[in-house]
Amino acid sequence: PALRSVGSGTNAKEAFAKQTANTQAQAEFATKIETSVMAACEEIGVTLEQYASDGETGKSVTDQSSEGGNLASMVAKQTVKNTSIIKTERYVQNDGQYRIYVCIEFSGNLSELISETESALKEKISPEQRKVLEERHEKFEKKMEQRMNSL
């Protein structure tokens, strides 16, 4: 369950129904990762602020409106790219529309997913917060695993 998500779509055109189902499954998976990242960071004391550098100077920026939600969402969407459709169910409804169910799965195991997520997060946060994340790496992994398995 931690590595999979499902979605469904209905449309008169089969391809559109499948595309909707796949998009829905990816959005569900991204939400699962996003909430897990935010919970893990909150527990270990990592502030989700973005870091930008031009090679000579750098600056940290916190998105006060979403409290790091945009950064967690960006990291989640990056991780979702490593999923593929593993199962599709196709039904034709009484009205002639297609009802498609899609199951997507992350291409690796849970530990790889967490590692990939953590790496993507490290690239986007300030050096100070990166150091905190590195120091509390094991705690972050454990919290992410718990959260992913509970969703």
Side-chain angles (χ1 to χ4, degrees), residues 3 6 14 19 22 24 28 36 42 46 50-51 55 63 68 74 84 90 99 103 107 138 140-141 143 150:
L3 300 174
V6 296
E14 185 177 0
Q19 181 180 14
N22 188 42
Q24 191 180 80
E28 180 183 308
S36 298
E42 185 177 312
V46 170
Q50 251 181 307
Y51 184 74
D63 184 353
M74 190 184 319
S84 57
R90 174 185 166 268
R99 178 76 170 180
C103 179
S107 59
E138 290 171 10
F140 177 84
E141 279 186 333
K143 184 63 180 177
S150 69

Side-chain angles (χ1 to χ4, degrees), residues 18-148:
K18 186 175 181 181
Q19 181 180 14
T20 300
N22 188 42
T23 300
Q24 191 180 80
Q26 288 180 336
E28 180 183 308
F29 194 64
T31 300
K32 193 185 304 187
I33 294 169
E34 180 182 346
T35 57
S36 298
V37 166
M38 290 179 73
C41 286
E42 185 177 312
E43 181 157 313
I44 67 169
V46 170
T47 304
L48 292 177
E49 54 185 34
Q50 251 181 307
Y51 184 74
S53 173
D54 62 5
E56 293 180 27
T57 60
K59 185 177 243 180
S60 293
V61 180
T62 303
D63 184 353
Q64 297 294 330
S65 63
S66 64
E67 298 175 16
N70 288 341
L71 180 58
S73 177
M74 190 184 319
V75 168
K77 286 176 184 168
Q78 186 175 333
T79 307
V80 168
K81 291 178 182 175
N82 291 328
T83 60
S84 57
I85 296 173
I86 59 165
K87 178 97 172 147
T88 303
E89 291 288 332
R90 174 185 166 268
Y91 300 94
V92 180
Q93 299 181 147
N94 291 340
D95 62 0
Q97 291 195 82
Y98 292 95
R99 178 76 170 180
I100 307 285
Y101 294 92
V102 166
C103 179
I104 63 167
E105 182 176 65
F106 181 74
S107 59
N109 60 36
L110 184 55
S111 135
E112 290 170 332
L113 179 134
I114 293 168
S115 178
E116 188 174 310
T117 302
E118 187 177 7
S119 292
L121 188 59
K122 283 180 186 177
E123 291 174 10
K124 301 190 183 327
I125 58 177
S126 70
E128 296 82 22
Q129 292 304 305
R130 188 176 311 128
K131 187 174 181 179
V132 172
L133 182 59
E134 288 168 354
E135 289 169 357
R136 301 173 185 168
H137 165 76
E138 290 171 10
K139 198 172 181 184
F140 177 84
E141 279 186 333
K142 189 174 183 179
K143 184 63 180 177
M144 276 282 299
E145 184 176 341
Q146 288 172 346
R147 186 73 182 193
M148 289 293 291

